[in-house]
């Protein structure tokens, strides 16, 4: 079925492996049991998937291979996959078909299936490309203008070719493209992670293209407007009028996707899943974001001890401290909504501190919401007091209003302590919403919200030394 691949049964697993990688057969039998596995180094594990890697030397060449192990823990899943192909097979097949269509990908070297009545696992083995990084990592790093321009051109072309090839990738993001230096072709860009991909025979219709490009547009904070234009010009083969029309459509759909993300995150943040977890010990109970170490978060709470402060800043973290005295009628349900609202705002991709965790003290009616604040941030009132030239803050405030207005408006209690100002290395300013409660998500038009937000900022500036005429 797949050219260049052979079948081999090892233990209880039926493997399909590329002939050039048949030397891996002795190692594949060690992959079956992930528990107490001496071959695999486990990188990530949850109820549904294990990701690991192993390194071997063959013919004086050392290579690292990534292994995905798909599990089906629930009875409903086991029954469903009696009549469906396994996730490993689907990922292998779609990657293989994409390669046949001329899309640069890294085709897995092997996939395996462990089948039995109501018990099934599947395995995928992929060569790990040396010195590679995702596009997100590339654009975050300090790269030259020439390098960025070259990658943006290749990125636009690859996205266009993928859509013409009929590739529908649900996780269409910067993390699904890999950049590395090829010995022959120089800097190369490939499409990766076909776990949630389907491929149709015809090229994608424009509405589907716009949808996937809008998903990509959620990462626009990594690009300047000029860079986004370069990407779209490459995507549209230099058709400037089509590029402008496409940009307007993408912006509208991006807002729609971000609103959907906010609703999803609002529910996810109070449940155990891939992004969030539930923590409980003798002292605290609550929720936290998995990319933060729980030990670090608990240590932060232990260091502040007993305090009457409502907001504490420590080690680049902002801690909101809620007590019975904070608000009348305060209870666990009401305060949990603040955590849910914080994660909804973060999912909208407006400038806010990253909500890290929300904990309740079991022995007292105290709640803590911890969020990570960007570097070099200070509240607007402190910035105004410490800075003689206040004019640079006006463009930052204007950009802040533009960013938040598609999603809602500032509350009437919004003040200078609720707004954080960040100064970067180039002395350019960026504004962040420091207090999650000072913003209300609504369904009003962008124009109506912009009017309300502009008036809120002007009212704020009346209490400062900055003339409102500059805004």
């Amino acid at each position: 079925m797949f050219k260049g691949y052979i079948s081999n049964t090892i233990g209880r697993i039926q493997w399909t492996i590329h002939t050039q990688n048949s030397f891996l057969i002795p190692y594949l039998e060690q992959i079956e049991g992930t528990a107490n596995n001496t071959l695999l180094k486990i990188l990530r594990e949850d109820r549904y998937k294990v990701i690991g890697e192993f390194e071997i030397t063959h013919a004086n060449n050392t290579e690292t291979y990534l292994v995905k192990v798909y599990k089906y823990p629930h009875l409903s899943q086991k029954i469903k996959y009696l009549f469906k192909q396994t996730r490993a097979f689907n990922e292998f097949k779609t990657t293989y078909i994409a390669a046949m269509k001329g899309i640069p990908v890294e085709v897995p070297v092997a996939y395996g299936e462990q089948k039995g009545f109501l018990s099934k696992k599947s395995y995928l083995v992929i060569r790990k490309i040396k010195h590679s990084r995702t596009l997100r990592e590339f654009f975050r790093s300090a790269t030259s203008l020439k390098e960025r321009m070259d990658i943006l051109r290749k990125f636009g072309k690859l996205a266009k070719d993928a859509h013409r090839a009929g590739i529908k990738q649900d996780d269409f993001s910067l993390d699904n493209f890999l950049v590395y230096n090829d010995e022959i072709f120089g800097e190369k860009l490939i499409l990766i992670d076909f776990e949630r991909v389907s491929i149709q025979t015809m090229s994608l219709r424009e509405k589907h293209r716009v949808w996937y490009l809008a998903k990509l547009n959620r990462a626009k904070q990594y690009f300047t407007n000029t860079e986004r234009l370069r990407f779209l010009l490459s995507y549209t083969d230099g058709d400037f009028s089509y590029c402008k029309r496409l940009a307007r459509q993408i912006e509208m759909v991006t807002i729609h996707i971000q609103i959907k993300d906010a609703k999803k995150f609002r529910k996810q943040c109070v449940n155990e899943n891939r992004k969030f977890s539930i923590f409980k010990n003798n002292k605290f109970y609550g929720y936290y974001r998995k990319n933060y170490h729980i030990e670090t978060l608990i240590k932060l709470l232990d260091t502040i001890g007993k305090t009457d402060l409502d907001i504490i800043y420590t080690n680049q973290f902002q801690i909101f401290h809620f007590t019975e005295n904070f608000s009348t009628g305060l209870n666990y349900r009401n305060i949990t909504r603040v955590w849910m609202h914080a994660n909804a705002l973060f999912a909208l991709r407006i400038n806010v501190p990253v909500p890290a965790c929300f904990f309740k003290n079991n022995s007292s009616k105290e709640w803590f919401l911890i969020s990570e604040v960007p570097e070099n941030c200070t509240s607007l009132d402190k910035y105004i007091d410490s800075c003689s030239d206040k004019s640079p803050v006006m463009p930052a405030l204007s950009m802040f209003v533009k960013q938040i207005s598609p999603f809602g408006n500032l509350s009437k209690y919004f003040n200078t302590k609720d707004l954080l100002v960040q100064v970067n290395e180039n002395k350019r300013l960026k504004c962040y919403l420091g207090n999650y409660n000072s913003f209300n998500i609504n369904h009003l038009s962008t124009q109506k919200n912009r009017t309300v937000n502009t008036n809120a900022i002007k009212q704020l500036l009346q209490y400062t030394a900055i003339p409102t005429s500059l805004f």
Side-chain angles (χ1 to χ4, degrees), residues 117-128:
F117 184 68
L118 295 185
S119 66
K120 184 186 292 186
K121 279 186 181 179
S122 57
Y123 305 79
L124 198 71
V125 183
I126 311 165
R127 183 178 68 93
K128 188 175 181 179

Side-chain angles (χ1 to χ4, degrees), residues 235-249:
Y235 184 88
T236 57
D237 293 324
D239 187 338
F240 192 70
S241 59
Y242 177 40
C243 178
K244 285 172 65 178
R245 178 167 58 85
L246 195 61
R248 286 193 294 269
Q249 290 177 301

Side-chain angles (χ1 to χ4, degrees), residues 31 48 85 165 193-194 251 255 292 300 355 366 386 389 419:
I31 291 175
Y48 306 105
Q85 299 288 358
D193 198 356
F194 280 69
E251 204 59 42
I255 292 169
Y292 289 92
L300 277 172
E366 286 182 297
S386 63
D389 182 15
L419 197 65

Side-chain angles (χ1 to χ4, degrees), residues 164-383:
R164 282 182 177 172
I167 295 173
K168 300 169 77 173
Q169 189 168 29
D170 286 350
D171 294 325
F172 197 63
S173 72
L174 295 178
D175 295 318
N176 296 114
F177 293 85
L178 209 61
V179 185
Y180 66 96
N181 281 308
D182 187 89
E183 293 178 358
I184 300 172
F185 301 103
E187 204 148 44
K188 192 174 179 182
L189 187 65
I190 65 170
L191 189 61
I192 61 168
D193 198 356
F194 280 69
E195 187 177 331
R196 298 175 64 195
V197 171
S198 60
I199 302 179
Q200 60 187 44
T201 53
M202 306 289 288
S203 63
L204 299 189
R205 294 167 63 186
E206 182 161 312
K207 70 173 186 178
H208 291 134
R209 293 182 182 215
V210 171
W211 177 262
Y212 291 118
L213 290 173
K215 283 192 165 191
L216 204 59
N217 192 48
R218 293 176 298 177
K220 57 188 174 184
Q221 69 267 29
Y222 299 113
F223 310 100
T224 63
N225 288 335
T226 305
E227 287 175 334
R228 290 161 67 196
L229 181 61
R230 282 200 180 105
F231 165 80
L232 284 178
L233 280 171
S234 177
Y235 184 88
T236 57
D237 293 324
D239 187 338
F240 192 70
S241 59
Y242 177 40
C243 178
K244 285 172 65 178
R245 178 167 58 85
L246 195 61
R248 286 193 294 269
Q249 290 177 301
I250 290 169
E251 204 59 42
M252 290 172 61
V253 176
T254 302
I255 292 169
H256 175 67
I257 291 175
Q258 287 172 318
I259 291 170
K260 284 186 70 176
D261 287 346
K263 291 177 180 177
K264 182 173 73 175
F265 267 65
R266 190 177 175 86
K267 293 178 181 177
Q268 281 186 343
C269 69
V270 290
N271 290 288
E272 181 82 36
N273 49 60
R274 194 160 54 94
K275 294 182 182 294
F276 297 93
S277 188
I278 299 171
F279 174 78
K280 185 177 182 179
N281 68 4
N282 294 332
K283 196 171 182 181
F284 297 107
Y285 172 83
Y287 315 99
Y288 70 97
R289 195 176 289 269
K290 279 187 174 179
N291 50 345
Y292 289 92
H293 294 295
I294 188 65
E295 295 82 8
T296 304
L297 299 173
I298 294 298
K299 192 175 179 180
L300 277 172
L301 294 179
D302 289 338
T303 55
I304 62 172
K306 286 288 182 182
T307 179
D308 294 326
L309 296 173
D310 294 333
I311 304 178
I312 306 111
Y313 292 94
T314 176
N315 298 333
Q316 214 174 311
F317 285 92
Q318 173 181 266
I319 305 174
F320 287 95
H321 177 217
F322 302 97
T323 62
E324 288 181 300
N325 299 326
F326 185 85
S327 173
T328 55
L330 191 68
N331 56 44
Y332 178 75
R333 180 177 292 181
N334 292 339
I335 206 67
T336 304
R337 286 175 184 160
V338 179
W339 163 250
M340 295 166 72
H341 181 64
N343 282 283
L345 292 179
F346 180 73
L348 289 174
R349 287 171 171 78
I350 62 177
N351 292 341
V352 293
V354 183
C357 71
F358 163 69
F359 290 140
K360 179 188 181 300
N361 191 324
N362 294 327
S363 59
S364 63
K365 288 197 173 182
E366 286 182 297
W367 297 265
F368 300 92
L369 174 57
I370 302 178
S371 53
E372 185 180 8
V373 180
E375 291 181 353
N376 304 321
C377 265
T378 185
S379 61
L380 180 62
D381 57 339
K382 289 181 180 178
Y383 171 80

